[in-house]
Amino acid sequence: MPTPTWQRLAPARRERITVAAMEEFGRHGYSAGSLNTVAREAGVAKGSLFQYFDDKLDLFQYVAETAAERVRDGLVSWLGVIPDGTSYHAFFCGAVLAWVDYFAEHPLERGVIAATHLEIDPQVRVAVNAPARRLYAAEVTALARQAVRRGDFRPDVRPEVFASLVSMLLPQLAVAPFEPGFEGPVPLYGLTRDELRARVMELASGLYAGFGPLPEA
C-alpha cells in the first residue's frame, strides 16, 4: 500500500500519478505496463514512484483498489436498502444499467477493470482482484438477502450464489459494450444506447430468472 510519503503529497500530484498509472495499466495491463511511462506522463522521476510505493505490484494494487472505490462511490445510490414500493427485479436491472452507463463515461476505470480481469500472472491477478471481489460480493450479497426477506427471491435461494453470478456478469458489461473482442454470444459492441440497454436488460433478467419470478409482461 502507499507509503506515508505518498500520503503527504499534494492531492493534485497524487491525482496526476494515479491517472497516469490508470491509463498505462488500463492500456497494457500489469505485465506490459511501464513505470517509465507512468513517471513520464505524471511528470515525476521514476525513482520517486518507489518513494510512494514498494514496487510495481504495489502501485498496480493501489490503482485497482482506487478504481473499485471510485466505481462504488459512483453507484452508491444503488447500494444499501431497496426502496419501498420497488421490486427487486426493477431495482436490479436499474443497477446493472447504471453500471453500464458508469463505464461508458469513465474510460480510465473501464481500462483498469479490463486489466485486472485479463492479467496473465495468476499471483498478480489474485492480489488485485481479491479486494474488489470482496467489496462487490458483500454489497450484492446483502441486497440479495433483502430480496429473499422481501419475497422477491424464492426462500431457498442462496444469496452468495446470486452474488457469484453477478460478479461474473458485471466485469463483462463494464468492458464488452465499449471495446471490441470482449463480448460473448450476445452482441454488445457497436450498438446504439437503446439497443445496448435492451440487451443488458435481457442479460440481467435472464440471470434474475434463476432466483425469482419475472414480472408479468
Side-chain angles (χ1 to χ4, degrees):
M1 295 306 296
T3 67
T5 304
W6 171 260
Q7 304 299 342
R8 291 194 293 268
L9 284 179
R13 188 178 179 89
R14 288 202 305 267
E15 182 65 9
R16 283 201 310 273
I17 295 169
T18 300
V19 168
M22 291 176 79
E23 288 179 339
E24 178 63 10
F25 289 133
R27 287 196 202 101
H28 303 292
Y30 170 80
S31 296
S34 167
L35 292 185
N36 288 325
T37 301
V38 173
R40 183 180 68 248
E41 294 300 317
V44 301
K46 181 180 178 181
S48 297
L49 296 178
F50 297 106
Q51 297 177 18
Y52 310 142
F53 300 92
D54 291 340
D55 51 26
K56 182 181 178 182
L57 179 56
D58 195 31
L59 174 58
F60 189 44
Q61 285 181 290
Y62 172 77
V63 164
E65 292 185 19
T66 298
E69 289 170 0
R70 290 182 179 184
V71 173
R72 187 190 185 285
D73 291 346
L75 298 172
V76 69
S77 62
W78 295 98
L79 304 173
V81 178
I82 303 168
D84 291 338
T86 302
S87 72
Y88 187 57
H89 175 263
F91 182 82
F92 174 64
C93 289
V96 175
L97 288 170
W99 170 272
V100 174
D101 287 343
Y102 178 90
F103 284 102
E105 298 168 2
H106 294 83
L108 280 180
E109 288 78 2
R110 184 171 76 229
V112 174
I113 289 287
T116 57
H117 283 82
L118 297 175
E119 173 55 43
I120 60 174
D121 185 319
Q123 291 183 318
V124 174
R125 194 165 58 242
V126 168
V128 298
N129 274 327
R133 190 164 54 246
R134 285 195 300 269
L135 173 64
Y136 296 133
E139 299 285 3
V140 176
T141 300
L143 288 167
R145 289 197 182 101
Q146 290 184 55
V148 172
R149 290 195 299 269
R150 287 161 39 112
D152 293 287
F153 281 172
R154 300 187 312 273
D156 63 329
V157 161
R158 288 183 58 200
E160 295 81 4
V161 174
F162 179 76
S164 292
L165 293 175
V166 172
S167 71
M168 288 188 279
L169 177 65
L170 291 184
Q172 184 196 25
L173 292 181
V175 180
F178 315 107
E179 305 289 345
F182 287 96
E183 60 191 6
V186 176
L188 296 170
Y189 180 70
L191 304 179
T192 66
R193 187 171 187 270
D194 288 343
E195 290 171 337
L196 176 59
R197 291 175 75 83
R199 295 276 171 80
V200 170
M201 284 288 287
E202 282 186 276
L203 291 169
S205 292
L207 189 157
Y208 182 96
F211 300 86
L214 293 173
E216 295 183 5

